[in-house]
Amino acid sequence: MSLTLPANTIVTDVGGTHIRFGLWDGRQITHIEKWPVTTFRSFDEALTRYQNITGYDGKDIAIATAAWPDADGVWHFAHDGRWPIRPHTLRAHGWTIHKMLNDFQASSLGAVQSDLTPLTDIAATPYNRDCLVVGPGTGLGLACVRRTDPGDHVQESFGGHMAIGAQTADQYNIIESLTRLHGKLPVYEDVISGKGLQALYRIVSGTDDDILTILNDDETSAASAALTQTCDLFHDFLGLFIQQAAVFHHAFGGIFLDGGVTHILHNKQMLDIPKLQSVIMNIHAAPVVTDALSRMPVYVINDPFIALSGLISGTSENA
Protein backbone atom coordinates (compact mmCIF):
# COMPACT_ATOMS: atom_id res chain seq x y z
CA MET A 1 0.00 0.00 0.00
CA SER A 2 1.44 3.38 -0.99
CA LEU A 3 2.38 5.79 1.76
CA THR A 4 2.09 8.76 -0.59
CA LEU A 5 -1.48 9.91 -1.10
CA PRO A 6 -2.57 10.24 -4.72
CA ALA A 7 -4.04 13.52 -5.90
CA ASN A 8 -7.76 13.98 -5.31
CA THR A 9 -7.83 12.03 -2.06
CA ILE A 10 -10.36 12.99 0.62
CA VAL A 11 -8.67 13.50 4.01
CA THR A 12 -10.85 13.47 7.11
CA ASP A 13 -10.37 13.91 10.86
CA VAL A 14 -13.19 12.37 12.90
CA GLY A 15 -12.92 13.74 16.45
CA GLY A 16 -15.04 13.41 19.54
CA THR A 17 -16.90 16.65 18.82
CA HIS A 18 -16.28 17.64 15.19
CA ILE A 19 -15.61 15.97 11.87
CA ARG A 20 -13.29 17.73 9.41
CA PHE A 21 -12.88 17.09 5.70
CA GLY A 22 -10.50 18.32 3.05
CA LEU A 23 -9.46 17.37 -0.48
CA TRP A 24 -5.77 16.76 -1.19
CA ASP A 25 -5.06 17.89 -4.77
CA GLY A 26 -1.45 16.72 -4.82
CA ARG A 27 -0.06 20.09 -3.68
CA GLN A 28 -2.36 21.39 -0.95
CA ILE A 29 -5.58 20.68 0.96
CA THR A 30 -8.63 22.43 -0.46
CA HIS A 31 -12.40 22.46 0.20
CA ILE A 32 -11.99 22.26 3.99
CA GLU A 33 -15.21 21.71 5.96
CA LYS A 34 -15.89 21.28 9.69
CA TRP A 35 -19.17 20.03 11.17
CA PRO A 36 -20.43 18.76 14.55
CA VAL A 37 -20.47 14.97 14.51
CA THR A 38 -23.99 15.01 15.96
CA THR A 39 -25.17 16.39 12.61
CA PHE A 40 -24.88 12.91 11.11
CA ARG A 41 -26.22 9.46 11.81
CA SER A 42 -23.14 7.71 10.42
CA PHE A 43 -19.71 8.35 8.95
CA ASP A 44 -21.06 7.35 5.52
CA GLU A 45 -23.69 10.09 5.77
CA ALA A 46 -21.05 12.72 6.57
CA LEU A 47 -18.88 11.50 3.69
CA THR A 48 -21.82 11.68 1.28
CA ARG A 49 -22.56 15.25 2.42
CA TYR A 50 -18.97 16.25 1.71
CA GLN A 51 -19.05 14.65 -1.74
CA ASN A 52 -22.28 16.46 -2.57
CA ILE A 53 -20.78 19.80 -1.55
CA THR A 54 -17.50 19.36 -3.41
CA GLY A 55 -18.80 17.41 -6.39
CA TYR A 56 -15.98 14.89 -5.84
CA ASP A 57 -16.93 11.39 -6.98
CA GLY A 58 -13.60 9.59 -6.51
CA LYS A 59 -13.01 6.70 -4.15
CA ASP A 60 -9.71 7.57 -2.42
CA ILE A 61 -9.68 8.47 1.27
CA ALA A 62 -7.37 8.81 4.30
CA ILE A 63 -8.85 8.89 7.80
CA ALA A 64 -7.67 10.21 11.16
CA THR A 65 -9.97 9.44 14.08
CA ALA A 66 -10.24 9.57 17.86
CA ALA A 67 -11.79 6.10 17.72
CA TRP A 68 -9.89 2.85 18.26
CA PRO A 69 -10.27 -0.45 16.36
CA ASP A 70 -11.71 -3.61 17.86
CA ALA A 71 -10.71 -7.17 16.97
CA ASP A 72 -12.95 -7.05 13.89
CA GLY A 73 -11.42 -3.83 12.57
CA VAL A 74 -14.38 -1.60 13.46
CA TRP A 75 -13.28 1.72 14.97
CA HIS A 76 -15.30 2.72 18.07
CA PHE A 77 -15.44 5.91 20.15
CA ALA A 78 -15.32 6.00 23.93
CA HIS A 79 -18.48 8.16 23.98
CA ASP A 80 -21.72 6.20 24.34
CA GLY A 81 -24.04 6.50 21.37
CA ARG A 82 -21.36 7.59 18.89
CA TRP A 83 -21.49 5.87 15.54
CA PRO A 84 -18.52 3.62 14.64
CA ILE A 85 -16.38 3.77 11.51
CA ARG A 86 -16.47 0.56 9.46
CA PRO A 87 -13.54 0.32 7.00
CA HIS A 88 -14.80 -2.95 5.54
CA THR A 89 -18.10 -1.26 4.59
CA LEU A 90 -16.24 1.57 2.87
CA ARG A 91 -14.11 -0.92 0.93
CA ALA A 92 -17.23 -2.89 -0.02
CA HIS A 93 -18.54 0.33 -1.59
CA GLY A 94 -15.39 0.72 -3.64
CA TRP A 95 -13.33 3.05 -1.44
CA THR A 96 -9.54 2.72 -1.19
CA ILE A 97 -8.39 3.62 2.34
CA HIS A 98 -4.80 4.77 1.94
CA LYS A 99 -4.26 5.52 5.63
CA MET A 100 -6.26 5.16 8.81
CA LEU A 101 -4.61 6.64 11.89
CA ASN A 102 -5.43 7.68 15.41
CA ASP A 103 -6.08 11.44 15.27
CA PHE A 104 -3.34 12.30 17.79
CA GLN A 105 -0.89 10.26 15.73
CA ALA A 106 -1.93 12.17 12.61
CA SER A 107 -1.74 15.53 14.41
CA SER A 108 1.75 14.65 15.64
CA LEU A 109 2.96 13.88 12.14
CA GLY A 110 1.50 17.15 10.90
CA ALA A 111 2.98 19.16 13.77
CA VAL A 112 6.61 18.19 13.22
CA GLN A 113 6.30 19.08 9.52
CA SER A 114 4.65 22.45 10.15
CA ASP A 115 6.38 25.80 9.97
CA LEU A 116 5.80 26.78 13.60
CA THR A 117 7.50 29.55 15.57
CA PRO A 118 9.08 28.35 18.84
CA LEU A 119 8.02 30.09 22.05
CA THR A 120 11.54 29.67 23.39
CA ASP A 121 14.76 31.50 22.57
CA ILE A 122 17.33 28.70 22.50
CA ALA A 123 20.67 29.28 20.81
CA ALA A 124 22.00 25.72 20.86
CA THR A 125 20.76 23.18 18.34
CA PRO A 126 18.61 20.34 19.73
CA TYR A 127 20.45 17.31 21.09
CA ASN A 128 18.68 15.11 18.55
CA ARG A 129 15.80 15.30 16.06
CA ASP A 130 13.17 13.14 17.77
CA CYS A 131 10.24 15.19 19.11
CA LEU A 132 7.46 14.93 21.67
CA VAL A 133 3.87 16.00 21.08
CA VAL A 134 1.93 16.55 24.31
CA GLY A 135 -1.80 17.21 24.21
CA PRO A 136 -3.68 18.15 27.39
CA GLY A 137 -7.35 18.14 26.40
CA THR A 138 -10.18 15.75 27.22
CA GLY A 139 -7.37 13.36 28.15
CA LEU A 140 -3.59 13.61 27.94
CA GLY A 141 -2.07 12.59 24.63
CA LEU A 142 1.62 11.81 24.20
CA ALA A 143 3.46 10.96 21.02
CA CYS A 144 7.14 10.48 20.31
CA VAL A 145 7.88 11.24 16.68
CA ARG A 146 11.00 9.51 15.42
CA ARG A 147 12.62 11.64 12.70
CA THR A 148 14.16 8.93 10.52
CA ASP A 149 15.63 9.42 7.04
CA PRO A 150 12.93 7.32 5.30
CA GLY A 151 10.27 9.44 7.02
CA ASP A 152 8.65 10.28 10.35
CA HIS A 153 7.27 7.53 12.56
CA VAL A 154 5.00 7.93 15.60
CA GLN A 155 5.77 5.56 18.44
CA GLU A 156 2.61 4.14 19.98
CA SER A 157 1.78 5.46 23.45
CA PHE A 158 -0.87 5.19 26.15
CA GLY A 159 -0.45 8.92 26.82
CA GLY A 160 -0.76 10.14 30.38
CA HIS A 161 -1.63 6.80 31.96
CA MET A 162 1.47 6.54 34.14
CA ALA A 163 2.16 7.21 37.81
CA ILE A 164 2.72 10.84 38.81
CA GLY A 165 6.06 12.07 40.11
CA ALA A 166 6.47 14.85 42.68
CA GLN A 167 9.36 17.19 43.51
CA THR A 168 7.81 19.41 46.18
CA ALA A 169 5.61 19.05 49.25
CA ASP A 170 2.77 20.91 47.48
CA GLN A 171 2.86 18.47 44.58
CA TYR A 172 2.92 15.49 46.94
CA ASN A 173 -0.05 16.93 48.86
CA ILE A 174 -1.99 17.19 45.59
CA ILE A 175 -1.28 13.51 44.87
CA GLU A 176 -2.55 12.60 48.34
CA SER A 177 -5.68 14.75 47.88
CA LEU A 178 -6.41 13.17 44.49
CA THR A 179 -5.98 9.70 45.97
CA ARG A 180 -8.61 10.51 48.60
CA LEU A 181 -10.85 12.18 46.01
CA HIS A 182 -10.81 9.31 43.51
CA GLY A 183 -10.08 6.40 45.84
CA LYS A 184 -7.01 5.36 43.83
CA LEU A 185 -3.53 6.54 43.05
CA PRO A 186 -3.71 9.15 40.27
CA VAL A 187 -2.00 9.12 36.90
CA TYR A 188 -0.71 12.18 35.03
CA GLU A 189 -3.96 12.48 33.07
CA ASP A 190 -5.73 13.13 36.38
CA VAL A 191 -3.91 16.49 36.66
CA ILE A 192 -2.92 17.36 33.07
CA SER A 193 -6.23 17.48 31.19
CA GLY A 194 -9.56 19.28 31.36
CA LYS A 195 -10.77 17.06 34.19
CA GLY A 196 -7.33 17.35 35.80
CA LEU A 197 -7.41 21.13 35.76
CA GLN A 198 -10.87 20.99 37.33
CA ALA A 199 -9.66 18.58 40.05
CA LEU A 200 -6.70 20.85 40.85
CA TYR A 201 -9.00 23.87 41.10
CA ARG A 202 -11.43 21.99 43.32
CA ILE A 203 -8.62 21.07 45.73
CA VAL A 204 -7.07 24.55 45.74
CA SER A 205 -10.27 26.63 45.91
CA GLY A 206 -12.40 24.29 48.00
CA THR A 207 -15.30 24.87 45.56
CA ASP A 208 -16.91 23.01 42.68
CA ASP A 209 -16.82 26.06 40.40
CA ASP A 210 -16.07 25.19 36.77
CA ILE A 211 -12.56 26.44 36.02
CA LEU A 212 -13.01 26.11 32.25
CA THR A 213 -16.03 28.41 32.43
CA ILE A 214 -13.94 30.89 34.40
CA LEU A 215 -11.09 30.70 31.89
CA ASN A 216 -13.44 31.07 28.92
CA ASP A 217 -15.13 34.13 30.42
CA ASP A 218 -14.02 37.10 28.31
CA GLU A 219 -14.83 39.46 31.19
CA THR A 220 -12.35 37.74 33.51
CA SER A 221 -9.42 40.14 33.84
CA ALA A 222 -7.24 39.56 36.89
CA ALA A 223 -6.73 35.94 37.92
CA SER A 224 -7.78 34.98 41.44
CA ALA A 225 -5.26 33.51 43.86
CA ALA A 226 -6.89 30.08 43.50
CA LEU A 227 -6.74 30.26 39.70
CA THR A 228 -3.10 31.33 39.76
CA GLN A 229 -2.15 28.52 42.16
CA THR A 230 -4.05 26.00 40.05
CA CYS A 231 -2.22 27.06 36.89
CA ASP A 232 1.11 26.93 38.74
CA LEU A 233 0.43 23.34 39.79
CA PHE A 234 -0.69 22.47 36.27
CA HIS A 235 2.64 23.76 34.91
CA ASP A 236 4.51 21.82 37.61
CA PHE A 237 2.98 18.50 36.65
CA LEU A 238 3.14 19.23 32.90
CA GLY A 239 6.84 20.06 33.21
CA LEU A 240 7.53 16.87 35.16
CA PHE A 241 5.62 14.81 32.60
CA ILE A 242 7.58 16.36 29.71
CA GLN A 243 10.88 15.91 31.55
CA GLN A 244 10.26 12.22 32.12
CA ALA A 245 8.83 11.59 28.66
CA ALA A 246 11.82 13.27 26.99
CA VAL A 247 14.35 11.29 29.01
CA PHE A 248 12.52 7.96 28.71
CA HIS A 249 12.02 8.36 24.94
CA HIS A 250 15.44 9.99 24.40
CA ALA A 251 13.54 12.64 22.42
CA PHE A 252 14.99 16.12 22.79
CA GLY A 253 14.28 17.64 19.37
CA GLY A 254 11.36 19.77 20.54
CA ILE A 255 8.11 19.87 22.50
CA PHE A 256 4.89 20.47 20.53
CA LEU A 257 1.94 21.38 22.77
CA ASP A 258 -1.58 20.70 21.55
CA GLY A 259 -5.00 20.05 23.07
CA GLY A 260 -7.94 22.11 24.24
CA VAL A 261 -6.46 23.00 27.65
CA THR A 262 -3.23 24.20 26.02
CA HIS A 263 -5.17 26.44 23.66
CA ILE A 264 -7.37 27.90 26.42
CA LEU A 265 -4.38 28.76 28.61
CA HIS A 266 -2.42 30.09 25.63
CA ASN A 267 -5.31 32.30 24.50
CA LYS A 268 -5.70 33.67 28.06
CA GLN A 269 -1.94 34.34 28.16
CA MET A 270 -1.67 31.94 31.09
CA LEU A 271 0.61 29.41 29.39
CA ASP A 272 3.88 30.23 31.17
CA ILE A 273 6.69 28.81 29.01
CA PRO A 274 9.58 30.07 31.22
CA LYS A 275 7.98 28.38 34.25
CA LEU A 276 7.45 25.20 32.23
CA GLN A 277 11.11 25.23 31.19
CA SER A 278 12.26 25.75 34.77
CA VAL A 279 10.32 22.66 35.89
CA ILE A 280 11.67 20.60 32.99
CA MET A 281 15.22 21.64 33.94
CA ASN A 282 14.73 20.92 37.67
CA ILE A 283 16.56 17.61 37.62
CA HIS A 284 19.78 16.52 39.31
CA ALA A 285 21.10 14.24 36.61
CA ALA A 286 24.21 13.74 34.52
CA PRO A 287 25.31 16.92 32.71
CA VAL A 288 24.56 15.36 29.32
CA VAL A 289 20.91 14.95 30.39
CA THR A 290 20.46 18.51 31.61
CA ASP A 291 22.22 19.78 28.49
CA ALA A 292 19.82 17.83 26.26
CA LEU A 293 16.77 19.11 28.19
CA SER A 294 18.00 22.70 27.97
CA ARG A 295 18.08 22.60 24.17
CA MET A 296 14.44 21.65 23.61
CA PRO A 297 12.39 24.36 21.86
CA VAL A 298 8.70 24.56 22.79
CA TYR A 299 5.96 25.12 20.23
CA VAL A 300 2.18 25.49 20.41
CA ILE A 301 0.17 23.86 17.63
CA ASN A 302 -2.50 26.37 16.60
CA ASP A 303 -3.85 24.71 13.46
CA PRO A 304 -7.28 23.05 13.97
CA PHE A 305 -6.74 21.05 10.77
CA ILE A 306 -3.27 19.76 11.66
CA ALA A 307 -4.43 16.12 11.56
CA LEU A 308 -5.38 16.51 7.89
CA SER A 309 -1.83 17.68 7.17
CA GLY A 310 -0.48 14.74 9.13
CA LEU A 311 -2.33 12.28 6.93
CA ILE A 312 -0.36 13.66 3.99
CA SER A 313 3.05 14.35 5.50
CA GLY A 314 3.52 11.28 7.67
CA THR A 315 4.72 7.84 6.77
CA SER A 316 3.15 5.94 9.67
CA GLU A 317 -0.02 4.12 8.75
CA ASN A 318 -2.56 1.66 10.06
CA ALA A 319 -5.08 0.87 7.39
Side-chain angles (χ1 to χ4, degrees):
M1 184 177 299
S2 172
L3 293 176
T4 302
L5 296 183
N8 297 319
T9 295
I10 289 178
V11 287
T12 181
D13 174 19
V14 192
T17 305
H18 292 95
I19 184 168
R20 298 166 173 87
F21 283 100
L23 185 62
W24 168 245
D25 67 6
R27 301 184 313 278
Q28 61 183 343
I29 301 173
T30 65
H31 299 87
I32 292 178
E33 299 284 349
K34 173 185 172 182
W35 301 309
V37 292
T38 52
T39 306
F40 308 100
R41 293 168 295 180
S42 67
F43 175 74
D44 298 56
E45 184 177 292
L47 182 57
T48 299
R49 166 82 69 84
Y50 184 72
Q51 287 184 288
N52 290 339
I53 288 175
T54 60
Y56 172 72
D57 60 358
K59 291 291 185 177
D60 293 288
I61 193 169
I63 304 170
T65 177
W68 288 90
D70 64 14
D72 296 322
V74 178
W75 291 60
H76 298 274
F77 288 85
H79 306 289
D80 292 335
R82 277 295 310 278
W83 34 261
I85 302 174
R86 305 180 186 277
H88 60 278
T89 300
L90 289 170
R91 293 189 181 101
H93 286 91
W95 287 90
T96 297
I97 304 175
H98 293 275
K99 296 180 184 179
M100 189 157 185
L101 307 178
N102 170 262
D103 62 344
F104 195 73
Q105 180 183 7
S107 295
S108 300
L109 290 168
V112 299
Q113 295 286 350
S114 297
D115 185 18
L116 300 175
T117 301
L119 301 181
T120 46
D121 184 15
I122 296 175
T125 57
Y127 178 84
N128 62 12
R129 300 172 61 211
D130 295 341
C131 302
L132 292 178
V133 184
V134 180
T138 303
L140 175 57
L142 171 67
C144 175
V145 183
R146 301 293 182 190
R147 312 302 304 276
T148 63
D149 289 334
D152 297 332
H153 172 73
V154 178
Q155 185 171 318
E156 190 172 11
S157 164
F158 284 126
H161 291 273
M162 60 188 75
I164 299 178
Q167 291 180 320
T168 68
D170 285 345
Q171 294 164 17
Y172 186 77
N173 289 337
I174 289 294
I175 294 173
E176 285 194 319
S177 296
L178 286 170
T179 301
R180 291 192 297 270
L181 183 64
H182 298 306
K184 63 180 181 66
L185 288 170
V187 295
Y188 271 111
E189 188 172 276
D190 292 324
V191 288
I192 311 171
S193 63
K195 65 180 181 181
L197 199 64
Q198 180 60 45
L200 289 175
Y201 189 70
R202 177 179 177 182
I203 293 169
V204 169
S205 69
T207 73
D208 289 326
D209 293 344
D210 185 357
I211 188 173
L212 295 180
T213 299
I214 295 170
L215 287 170
N216 282 316
D217 186 355
D218 293 335
E219 296 182 1
T220 300
S221 53
S224 66
L227 183 58
T228 299
Q229 186 180 354
T230 298
C231 289
D232 283 345
L233 286 165
F234 178 84
H235 282 77
D236 284 346
F237 287 116
L238 178 59
L240 277 171
F241 180 70
I242 289 172
Q243 177 197 94
Q244 293 171 6
V247 175
F248 290 160
H249 284 286
H250 199 73
F252 303 101
I255 304 298
F256 294 79
L257 297 174
D258 199 4
V261 174
T262 294
H263 298 149
I264 289 171
L265 293 178
H266 186 55
N267 292 338
K268 295 291 288 188
Q269 299 183 328
M270 297 182 72
L271 186 63
D272 190 338
I273 299 301
K275 175 176 174 55
L276 187 64
Q277 286 182 294
S278 70
V279 178
I280 293 172
M281 289 298 299
N282 187 18
I283 180 174
H284 300 285
V288 67
V289 177
T290 55
D291 178 59
L293 289 169
S294 71
R295 299 191 198 184
M296 294 191 302
V298 179
Y299 306 85
V300 168
I301 302 170
N302 53 13
D303 181 355
F305 301 101
I306 196 72
L308 301 183
S309 300
L311 285 169
I312 297 158
S313 64
T315 59
S316 295
E317 69 168 323
N318 181 9

